Amino acid sequence: MELFLDAYWKRGGKPEALTDLLSWLPLAGDGQSVDPAQWFDWLDALEKAIRERVPHQ
């Protein structure tokens, strides 16, 4: 979540925009994100976190 929020902030997020961000997070009735772009941003952050925090073997 830290990486996702950091990326959001660097793209120009502002404190008052936090309500917008939170409104994009819930899933729609079909299980899809109400904001598909944010879903892909979340997946990018997750991938980065795994890459950076999982020891390489």
Side-chain angles (χ1 to χ4, degrees):
M1 182 58 80
E2 174 188 349
L3 294 170
F4 175 78
L5 292 174
D6 184 57
Y8 174 78
W9 187 261
K10 287 177 181 174
R11 284 192 310 271
K14 307 222 180 325
E16 61 273 8
L18 186 57
T19 55
D20 290 338
L21 175 64
L22 293 174
S23 72
W24 299 327
L25 296 179
L27 298 178
D30 61 0
Q32 300 296 314
S33 171
V34 295
D35 184 342
Q38 292 295 333
W39 177 249
F40 290 107
D41 292 343
W42 171 253
L43 293 178
D44 288 343
L46 182 60
E47 182 179 305
K48 182 178 180 185
I50 291 169
R51 248 192 348 263
E52 291 179 0
R53 296 185 179 155
V54 173
H56 298 285
Q57 297 182 2

